[in-house]
Amino acid sequence: MSEKSAPLIANCDVTSTKNKDIYDAWATNYEKDVREWGYSLPEKVAEVLKGYIPTLATKKNDTTITTDNNDSNSNSNDDDDDDSTIRILDAGACNGLSGLALRNAVAATTTSSTTTTTTTTGKSFKCHLSGNDISPAMLAIAKSRNCYDALRIVDLTPTPTFRTKRINSTSSRAQAR
């Protein structure tokens, strides 16, 4: 890919609408482009998180985020929360590269790939993986990967707002070369 065909994304100080338009237009070529740049952060982040899964399953981190976002673009009920659920938010999910890597990391630390899993240390838990992004086109691709429990169109340009929930881990990666 030539430098001229790459979308301008770094230090562009653009509006939310412009960001959405850039990523919507880029959606079909995004994975090919970033992989050509050597982008492997989704796998690296997931590898680090994999080391924390047994700890998260054993000792819940009850970080609370209070918000007022009434986003109606969810494709799943986000209210299924109990003490055995590990909740991971992929902020800026794009086309789901990180979601797939995160889901694989969870599977690699368990003895089952069903809804309720058990860590190799014997603790049962559920994993709820949510993804947020500004681009509907990117989220359509992410949805096709079947690795998220919920996807939402969310503008992360201003300070994002979320309903009060416990989130055990948040994944967000810079899209820089």
Side-chain angles (χ1 to χ4, degrees):
M1 181 176 88
S2 73
E3 288 293 321
K4 292 182 181 179
S5 66
L8 179 62
I9 57 173
N11 301 316
C12 54
D13 192 31
V14 295
T15 65
S16 296
T17 301
K18 183 67 175 169
N19 282 332
K20 180 194 141 325
D21 292 346
I22 288 169
Y23 282 95
D24 277 347
W26 194 16
T28 32
N29 293 322
Y30 175 81
E31 184 170 1
K32 178 182 84 56
D33 289 349
V34 298
R35 294 302 191 187
E36 283 179 4
W37 297 341
Y39 182 67
S40 61
L41 210 47
E43 294 79 13
K44 290 176 182 176
V45 168
E47 188 63 29
V48 169
L49 180 63
K50 185 167 67 172
Y52 290 96
I53 295 293
T55 303
L56 290 173
T58 304
K59 180 179 170 184
K60 296 287 293 201
N61 174 1
D62 293 329
T63 302
T64 301
I65 298 179
T66 305
T67 65
D68 60 2
N69 187 13
N70 293 317
D71 194 315
S72 62
N73 294 304
S74 175
N75 61 0
S76 176
N77 184 352
D78 244 0
D79 296 326
D80 299 336
D81 193 24
D82 62 38
D83 286 340
S84 66
T85 301
I86 294 175
R87 301 181 67 77
I88 301 171
L89 171 62
D90 183 6
C94 282
N95 72 349
L97 288 175
S98 288
L100 189 58
L102 291 166
R103 185 61 75 188
N104 289 337
V106 169
T109 63
T110 63
T111 58
S112 170
S113 61
T114 60
T115 303
T116 301
T117 56
T118 305
T119 65
T120 53
T121 60
K123 172 70 177 172
S124 293
F125 69 95
K126 297 175 197 167
C127 178
H128 188 278
L129 178 57
S130 298
N132 295 344
D133 200 87
I134 196 169
S135 168
M138 287 285 195
L139 288 179
I141 296 169
K143 183 177 182 178
S144 73
R145 294 182 188 274
N146 295 314
C147 56
Y148 292 97
D149 298 298
L151 289 167
R152 286 204 172 100
I153 298 170
V154 175
D155 182 0
L156 298 172
T157 305
T159 302
T161 57
F162 302 94
R163 292 181 300 244
T164 301
K165 288 290 179 188
R166 288 188 303 255
I167 296 178
N168 303 102
S169 180
T170 303
S171 172
S172 182
R173 295 114 357 248
Q175 308 292 337
R177 296 198 269 171

